[in-house]
Each structure stands twice: as structure tokens, then as C-alpha cells.
Amino acid sequence: MDKPSHLSVIVDLSPTQWAFCAQSTAPPGLPLQTFLSQLLAFLNAHIACKDENTLAVFGAFPGQSVMLYSSTGEAMTSTTEATDPNTYRPFKTLDSTVMSSIAERFNSYDVTEEEEPIGLVGCLTKALCYINRTISVVSASAQGTEGATRSIDPRILVLSVSPDQSSTYIPIMNSIFSAQKLKVTIDVCKVFGADNVFLQQAAHLTGGAYVQIERTDALLQYMMMSFLPPPAIRQLISVPTQDRVDFRAACFCHKRIVEIGFVCSVCLSIFCQPVPVCSTCRTKFPIKTLQRLNASRPLATTPSTPGTPRPLTQKNGAALPRPG
Ligand SMILES: [Zn+2]
Ligand SMILES: [Zn+2]
């Protein structure tokens, strides 16, 4: 419990979604400025908790993913401001680095152009690479000492406002598996908008918390109570859990989120309709099976029979991507 902890925060910074969020009346919305000031307070709290705690902040902008800050100093801009005796220097560096990088990117947008999808997957993979490197550096420097391998407690917090992009299903699932392998917990805070199916699965599969904010004016309180304690302490306190997880997957053929999918029995690729040949592994399926599956399609609730392409329901539908 005394271990230092690493936190990688991924902030969804889609200008369109934040405009919707600021204008929303039911539930009352949250302007980006207010959100950022609450976020900075939370980040300051994390680095204040323990001297060895480390932090990395990633921004998911339209079409790009950017590292905004890292406590090891990689994304820091040279600050030439005069020192203020009334501020704690690490807080000041964090705040000004994060805010100036965000402002720089926002000013460069062309408002007349259509917004690209946000770079959430890029941020997730960058955060995982960063954590992987931090873990290997820590374990290399502390080799020989007992319990050196897990001396940091890494986790990722995603602050999301954008809806799901079904085209990112496979890379998100692959990131989840990498996170599981690295023992990284993924927490999700849904600040605005409908539930994210893929992020719900990410939190569920890595043992993290998924919190849908009901009152945006209490955002800081939600973050402090649910996401500040590292996973080791969470067993002792009561962090909100998901009572229902949406396990729907996206088909590999059209990248659509499907209620009922058909899974290749060889490579576990998911299709929205029975296919004669699997497009991933080229396995051919018997024509009788296809006929049987096609005949049973309107009756979505019939239980699956063992054999080639089997219907995928919400019960067994978790996480079946392929590598690459
Ligand atoms: Zn499809
Ligand atoms: Zn296949």
C-alpha cells in the first residue's frame, strides 16, 4: 500500500463534443474551462499524495494523440516564468504545461473543416508504451532487491466525452489485452454523453471503475473519491462498480456494433452475417451450416449449437479480437 503509483490520464478533447457538453441543459453541461480547472486540481492531488508518484497526461485531439505532460519531463516546455513564492513549483509546471499545450492545439483548428475522429486509440497505446518503459526502467534499476518488479502501481484514467467509434473496436480490444498483460488498470470517467461500449469493456476486463457522471458540478468530487486511490487501496474502500456491462462487439466486415454476431470457429473473427469463407483466415464453412444459420437468424434468441460459425450473444460476446 506504500508503493508509489503511476497515473496516465487520457483526456478526450474533441472541440465539438465539448461545445455540446457546454450547451447541454439536461443534464446541466460543463464548460471545458471548468472541466480543465477541476482536472488540474485532481492531477495536483495525485502528485501531492506521494513524492514518488508519477504522472503522464495525454490529449486525444481530432485525428491526433499528444503527450501533454509527463513527470519525467519529456513533454515539458521550457518555462521562463518568474518563480512565485506562493505556489508549489511542481503544481505550477504541471498546470502551465498542460494548459499551454491544449491552447496551442485548439488555436490551430480550422472551424470550417469537418472534425476528424479523436485519437483515443493512439493515446491508449502511447500510455501503455510509456508504462511499459517505466516498468522496465524501474525493474532494471532495482534488480536484485526483493519485490522490485512491481514497485510502481500503474493505471490509466480515460476522461471521455465522445461516442464510440465502431471502427476502433479491434485496436481498443488489443490495447485491453496489452493492459491485462502489463497488469494496468483502466478507469473510465464518462463526463458527458451516452455510455461507451468499448470503454465499459476496458474497465471491466482490467478491473477498473467505470463512472458515468450524473452531476457535472460535482466532477472533482467524483474524481477524488473514485480515481485518486490506487487499485491496491480500492479493495478497502467502496468504488462504484458497473452493475451492467454492455458486451456487444463490432463486426470485422463493416465495423458496426452488432447485437448478434457470427464467430469464425478457427480464428474467432466476428461477422454480422453468416459468411461462406472467413475473410481473416480463409476457412470455408459447409453450406449446410450457412443455411441453418440463415434460417435461424430472425429468431435471435435461439440458443447456439456447438459447431462452426456460432451465434454470438451478449452472454458470451466478450472480447474476441485477433492480433494485428
Ligand atoms: Zn459486418
Ligand atoms: Zn477465421
Side-chain angles (χ1 to χ4, degrees):
M1 232 188 277
D2 289 318
K3 285 188 296 186
S5 104
H6 169 81
L7 175 67
S8 278
V9 179
I10 298 173
V11 194
D12 180 344
L13 290 164
S14 156
T16 314
Q17 293 303 322
W18 275 109
F20 285 141
C21 181
Q23 287 159 11
S24 162
T25 46
L30 183 73
L32 182 60
Q33 276 295 333
T34 321
F35 165 75
L36 288 174
S37 65
Q38 300 198 17
L39 173 68
L40 290 177
F42 170 74
L43 298 179
N44 287 341
H46 171 75
I47 51 173
C49 272
K50 199 172 175 63
D51 201 32
E52 296 92 346
N53 275 3
T54 51
L55 173 73
V57 186
F58 298 86
F61 294 95
Q64 39 176 196
S65 53
V66 184
M67 182 185 240
L68 301 173
Y69 172 86
S70 98
S71 50
T72 50
E74 280 160 63
M76 286 207 200
T77 48
S78 54
T79 41
T80 46
E81 301 146 49
T83 43
D84 180 353
N86 293 320
T87 53
Y88 178 52
R89 189 151 179 85
F91 289 174
K92 175 110 179 151
T93 321
L94 166 69
D95 295 2
S96 60
T97 313
V98 170
M99 289 309 281
S100 61
S101 334
I102 293 175
E104 200 182 299
R105 294 252 152 28
F106 266 64
N107 291 337
S108 66
Y109 286 132
D110 185 353
V111 281
T112 54
E113 270 177 42
E114 201 188 325
E115 193 177 300
E116 283 178 73
I118 57 148
L120 177 69
V121 173
C123 283
L124 264 178
T125 45
K126 278 181 184 173
L128 287 167
C129 290
Y130 184 84
I131 289 171
N132 187 39
R133 204 180 51 196
T134 319
I135 293 174
S136 43
V137 167
V138 169
S139 53
S141 65
Q143 226 154 38
T145 35
E146 270 178 64
T149 40
R150 300 297 303 167
S151 55
I152 63 161
D153 210 356
R155 61 203 159 100
I156 296 177
L157 167 63
V158 185
L159 295 152
S160 164
V161 285
S162 298
D164 273 317
Q165 303 157 42
S166 49
S167 62
T168 61
Y169 174 68
I170 299 166
I172 286 192
M173 290 315 291
N174 285 330
S175 307
I176 295 173
F177 291 133
S178 309
Q180 281 181 320
K181 217 170 166 189
L182 284 171
K183 297 197 174 62
V184 174
T185 308
I186 301 180
D187 292 317
V188 180
C189 179
K190 187 74 191 165
V191 182
F192 171 75
D195 273 333
N196 275 71
V197 178
F198 304 155
L199 291 178
Q200 266 190 342
Q201 295 183 22
H204 177 77
L205 294 170
T206 57
Y210 178 97
V211 176
Q212 169 98 40
I213 301 291
E214 280 157 26
R215 290 190 50 184
T216 45
D217 54 346
L219 175 70
L220 184 59
Q221 197 176 348
Y222 279 101
M223 290 202 287
M224 290 288 191
M225 295 297 162
S226 312
F227 305 119
L228 193 60
I233 297 175
R234 301 238 189 114
Q235 289 152 11
L236 308 173
I237 59 168
S238 186
V239 169
T241 49
Q242 304 177 75
D243 44 354
R244 257 189 53 223
V245 184
D246 193 336
F247 278 126
R248 280 179 303 166
C251 70
F252 287 25
C253 37
H254 309 91
K255 318 275 184 240
R256 268 200 312 251
I257 296 179
V258 288
E259 301 262 323
I260 297 172
F262 296 86
V263 181
C264 168
S265 53
V266 177
C267 69
L268 302 180
S269 296
I270 302 160
F271 301 97
C272 54
Q273 57 197 19
V275 285
V277 180
C278 170
S279 61
T280 311
C281 66
R282 303 271 154 222
T283 302
K284 292 189 182 75
F285 299 114
I287 193 83
K288 275 198 169 163
T289 314
L290 292 178
Q291 283 169 345
R292 183 168 52 79
L293 285 173
N294 270 319
S296 67
R297 275 180 77 194
L299 302 160
T301 47
T302 39
S304 64
T305 44
T308 37
R310 56 184 195 270
L312 168 79
T313 60
Q314 289 203 13
K315 261 186 200 147
N316 61 1
L320 297 167
R322 67 198 153 115

